Amino acid sequence: MSIPQIAEWLEGTSVAVLVRESAWGFPIVVAIHILGLTLSVGMVLWFDLRLLGVALRGSSVSAVYRRIIPWAGTGFALMFASGAILLAAYATSAHGNVYFRAKVIALFLAGLNALVYHRFTERHRSRWDEAARPPAAARMAGLISIVAWATVILAGRMMSYTMF
Amino acid sequence: MMTAFGAAMAWVEGSGVAIAIRESLLLTAALSAFHLIGATLVGGGALLGGLRIGGVLFPDQAMADVVRPAGRAILLGLSISIVTGALLFSPRASMAVANGFFQLKMGLLVAAAACHAILHSRRWHSEDQASGFLGLARSMLYIAVILAGSAYILLE
């Protein structure tokens, strides 16, 4: 099955048809997407700022992570679930949109950055967990995360204006 | 007969900036994107500050160590959102001011900003009940502004 065929199949699913054709489906799913975005990116930003050593320096990096992630994780779950529904509803238009592709690349970068942080950078965290200014690799992870998520937001909003 | 307020809105809509924004989809989209970045900063700051005041997050940290950076994030987000919001408002000023969700959003924003200004003047010197109440009200009001803003965009 080619990508355009998958996109057509997605648009034909019952949830996609419901979002496109009901009066309230689209606004409700977009509102959940925006709330999820505010909760997830708005909260994960504080962990990124702690990695950069510019906020919440009174708490260890691991404590900030432990306290922030349940909130951000709930936001990410809401954002990804509502985003998947929106993508299904307009899959064909999204597939050909340059901003959608930029958004997917930025999402991939954010995910890869988190993976590298947890697999490699965090390995020696006990040495710098309490440090007001974590090492360069950790600071870089925080900076990349902020840039990647800002790009996701920018590309996502540009996409919604240029897709239809 | 056009009122002075109606004339002012018509003047805003006829300004060069409003015309440029109205005629450029990409400019409108870019402004909307930065408006959402500002709203995310406001939401993140409001959540962190509100949860600390409520004793849910970082209860072991001094109130000011959490609430102050949260307040700075809110102010940065507000600065971005107000500038981009004013520019987005300009091409459709008459329609926006007549919209119930827009009126609600502006009312909530004024109330949230008032709480913010009072809290700033108190400088969180004490962790008294009034500061706690105001901080919590500020957080809830800013989140309500984001909800009303979403409703305005989606249901206008």
Side-chain angles (χ1 to χ4, degrees):
Chain A
M1 226 177 174
S2 66
I3 291 177
Q5 283 173 321
I6 293 169
E8 276 179 33
W9 175 79
L10 280 171
E11 284 188 352
T13 57
S14 53
V15 69
V17 173
L18 184 71
V19 167
R20 269 197 321 274
E21 294 184 359
S22 71
W24 289 89
F26 182 74
I28 288 171
V29 179
V30 173
I32 293 170
H33 198 59
I34 292 173
L35 270 183
L37 170 85
T38 308
L39 186 57
S40 58
V41 181
M43 288 303 271
V44 90
L45 172 73
W46 293 103
F47 178 64
D48 295 335
L49 291 173
R50 176 63 186 91
L51 284 180
L52 283 166
V54 298
L56 305 175
R57 285 178 291 195
S59 289
S60 66
V61 171
S62 56
V64 173
Y65 181 80
R66 251 193 341 268
R67 286 162 177 174
I68 292 288
I69 283 307
W71 296 89
T74 306
F76 281 124
L78 285 173
M79 187 172 68
F80 283 120
S82 54
I85 293 170
L86 290 170
L87 175 63
Y90 302 98
T92 312
S93 312
H95 173 247
N97 187 282
V98 66
Y99 296 108
F100 173 69
R101 292 174 185 195
K103 182 176 178 175
V104 170
I105 291 168
L107 275 171
F108 177 76
L109 179 67
L112 184 67
N113 180 52
L115 184 73
V116 169
Y117 172 78
H118 289 298
R119 288 292 296 270
F120 302 105
T121 314
E122 205 182 33
R123 199 178 282 169
H124 307 293
R125 195 188 58 210
S126 56
R127 292 181 200 158
W128 47 265
D129 200 23
E130 303 283 343
R133 192 166 188 255
R139 296 201 306 275
M140 186 54 74
L143 183 65
I144 292 173
S145 174
I146 291 172
V147 172
W149 284 112
T151 308
V152 168
I153 295 173
L154 288 171
R157 202 74 196 110
M158 296 295 286
M159 175 187 155
S160 65
Y161 273 87
T162 54
M163 222 171 68
F164 302 105
Chain B
M1 200 173 79
M2 191 180 269
T3 62
F5 185 72
M9 292 301 105
W11 178 82
V12 169
E13 286 178 349
S15 64
V17 172
I19 291 166
I21 294 167
R22 190 183 301 118
E23 290 179 355
S24 170
L25 186 69
L26 279 182
L27 184 54
T28 306
L31 286 169
S32 178
F34 281 100
H35 194 65
L36 188 55
I37 293 234
T40 305
L41 281 171
V42 171
L47 272 170
L48 182 78
L51 290 169
R52 171 61 190 91
I53 292 161
V56 180
L57 271 183
F58 304 106
D60 50 333
Q61 274 215 39
M63 185 77 83
D65 288 349
V66 179
V67 175
R68 277 199 190 126
R72 282 197 285 268
I74 291 172
L75 282 181
L76 175 64
L78 269 184
S79 306
I80 296 169
S81 290
I82 288 171
V83 171
T84 52
L87 290 168
L88 286 167
F89 168 83
S90 64
R92 46 183 179 175
S94 307
M95 202 178 68
V97 292
N99 184 289
F101 286 116
F102 182 80
Q103 292 166 2
L104 177 65
K105 180 182 174 178
M106 290 302 116
L108 290 166
L109 186 60
V110 168
C115 288
H116 205 121
I118 297 168
L119 278 172
H120 186 70
S121 68
R122 295 169 73 103
R123 294 179 181 275
W124 287 98
H125 278 317
S126 57
E127 299 191 8
D128 60 314
Q129 271 194 328
S131 290
F133 174 78
L134 276 171
L136 214 51
R138 177 188 71 171
S139 295
M140 291 171 80
L141 284 166
Y142 278 129
I143 290 163
V145 169
I146 294 170
L147 284 174
S150 303
Y152 165 60
I153 294 166
L154 296 167
L155 304 174
E156 68 173 322

